[in-house]
Amino acid sequence: MEFLVGTRFNFLGHRRAAFILSTVLIAAGLISLAVQGGPKQGIDFSGGILLQVQFERPISAESIRETLAEIGLADAEIQHFGNGREAIIRTKGEGGEDLTGAIVNALNEANPDNLADVRRQELVGPKVGGELRAKASLAILYALIGILIYISLRFEFKFAVGAVAALVHDVMITLGMFSLTGRELSLPVIAAFLTVVGYSLNDTIVIYDRIREDRRKLYGKSFVDIVNTSLNESLSRTLVTSLTTLLVVLCLFFFGGEVIKDFAFALLVGVLVGTYSSIYVASPLVVEWQIHSESRRRRRFNR
């Protein structure tokens, strides 16, 4: 399936505006992270207890909060979903099974005619959470280093720098969106980040392959014209892949349930940003590198 065949969009003519847009989005995320003291960490990284409970009838979040305040958990987070009968309770308190039992008992004593049933339970100690946080950060770092080496060998170093910069761009914007929307980082979300890295890289590699082919076919043309041609030739494939992936991710986000909502949100943002960065970040950075390299060569020659 192909559409938009034979287009002549001047993508690189808008690269400065795209750089400004990317800078604004990343800056907004960084400011949000700075104001909040870093990303909001889920139970996986901070340690604590997560309970998903289902009541016999709908119950208000305020009623649950008042009950938990009576047992010293006034700072617990309550998240309603479904038809008002289910809620997720997050608390950084320690105590394991004992604390879980205390929460359930308190809820049932406060609502004897609307008993709570535990549907999901996660217990993570602070030490384990710290180890998981460190390993997750290293996983992303090692992935980026591996990609830098791979693309340097397959293409040229300037292409590798452009690809890695685009991937960092995608992760930073996705992380910033998590901060701006108040969502938590967890192990499934880190898995989504790595999926976004792989998805964006695949798009970028396809475009880079086309650029390499067109440099041979369009010998004599300027590098800017060659890259613009390659982007237009890859446009149909890029959009078809992105749209089909986006449809699946939207289904996960709206119908996949509360458990994977943050995972699906990371993929949703990542697919959109990854498609954008393949066109407006990775390739334009290679063009800027080429232009500056040619400029330096001319200055040396004129001396």
Side-chain angles (χ1 to χ4, degrees):
M1 175 183 176
E2 289 191 3
F3 59 98
L4 295 177
V5 179
T7 57
R8 296 180 180 275
F9 297 122
N10 184 17
F11 292 107
L12 295 179
H14 305 290
R15 65 184 184 275
R16 301 296 166 82
F19 290 161
I20 292 173
L21 175 61
S22 295
T23 302
V24 170
L25 292 174
I26 292 174
L30 291 175
I31 291 171
S32 176
L33 288 168
V35 170
Q36 298 183 28
K40 192 176 181 182
Q41 298 176 4
I43 299 298
D44 291 333
F45 299 135
S46 62
I49 297 175
L50 180 147
L51 285 180
Q52 179 180 333
V53 294
Q54 183 179 52
F55 293 86
E56 296 174 353
R57 292 190 303 279
I59 185 172
S60 68
E62 188 58 36
S63 175
I64 298 174
R65 187 171 289 107
E66 290 175 358
T67 300
L68 296 180
E70 294 176 0
I71 59 173
L73 297 176
D75 60 344
E77 296 181 20
I78 315 297
Q79 184 178 358
H80 251 135
F81 65 96
N83 54 10
R85 293 174 52 210
E86 295 188 67
I88 288 180
I89 301 170
R90 293 182 177 89
T91 175
K92 292 185 171 65
E94 298 181 23
E97 295 287 350
D98 293 337
L99 183 56
T100 299
I103 291 173
V104 175
N105 289 336
L107 291 172
N108 288 337
E109 288 176 6
N111 305 277
D113 58 342
N114 191 13
L115 299 180
D117 177 41
V118 177
R119 307 302 300 274
R120 180 164 62 109
Q121 173 180 307
E122 296 180 14
L123 307 174
V124 179
K127 183 177 180 181
V128 174
E131 292 175 355
L132 291 174
R133 185 169 59 247
K135 289 180 179 179
S137 301
L138 287 174
I140 294 177
L141 178 62
Y142 291 155
L144 294 176
I145 293 174
I147 290 166
L148 182 67
I149 295 172
Y150 167 74
I151 299 181
S152 296
L153 294 174
R154 182 171 174 180
F155 296 95
E156 301 173 33
F157 183 68
K158 63 186 174 189
F159 285 88
V161 172
V164 171
L167 297 180
V168 173
H169 164 278
D170 298 345
V171 172
M172 291 299 296
I173 290 182
T174 306
L175 181 62
M177 289 302 298
F178 262 72
S179 179
L180 289 168
T181 56
R183 296 179 181 273
E184 294 183 343
L185 291 184
S186 61
L187 285 179
V189 169
I190 297 299
F193 278 25
L194 291 172
T195 304
V196 166
V197 166
Y199 177 86
S200 179
L201 178 65
N202 182 62
D203 258 359
T204 301
I205 290 293
V206 169
I207 293 173
Y208 280 179
D209 263 331
R210 186 57 61 91
I211 292 173
R212 182 167 56 183
E213 292 173 6
D214 286 343
R215 289 178 82 175
R216 292 193 292 266
K217 291 192 304 182
L218 304 175
Y219 183 78
K221 282 195 171 186
S222 70
F223 191 65
V224 172
D225 290 338
I226 291 172
V227 174
N228 250 334
T229 301
S230 300
L231 289 171
N232 278 283
E233 290 175 349
S234 307
L235 184 60
S236 177
R237 180 264 176 204
T238 299
L239 291 182
V240 168
T241 303
S242 299
L243 289 174
T244 51
T245 305
L246 196 60
L247 286 175
V248 176
V249 174
L250 284 171
C251 290
L252 284 176
F253 182 75
F254 288 110
F255 308 114
E258 194 67 26
V259 175
I260 64 169
K261 208 171 189 75
D262 287 345
F263 173 83
F265 180 79
L267 290 180
L268 180 61
V269 176
V271 168
L272 292 172
V273 176
T275 303
Y276 161 83
S277 70
S278 297
I279 298 174
Y280 283 110
V281 177
S283 299
L285 284 176
V286 176
V287 169
E288 291 291 338
W289 185 300
Q290 181 74 13
I291 290 173
H292 286 289
S293 296
E294 292 175 354
S295 177
R296 285 197 299 270
R297 282 197 295 268
R298 283 196 299 269
R299 286 198 300 267
R300 285 199 298 267
F301 179 78
N302 292 333
R303 288 175 185 174

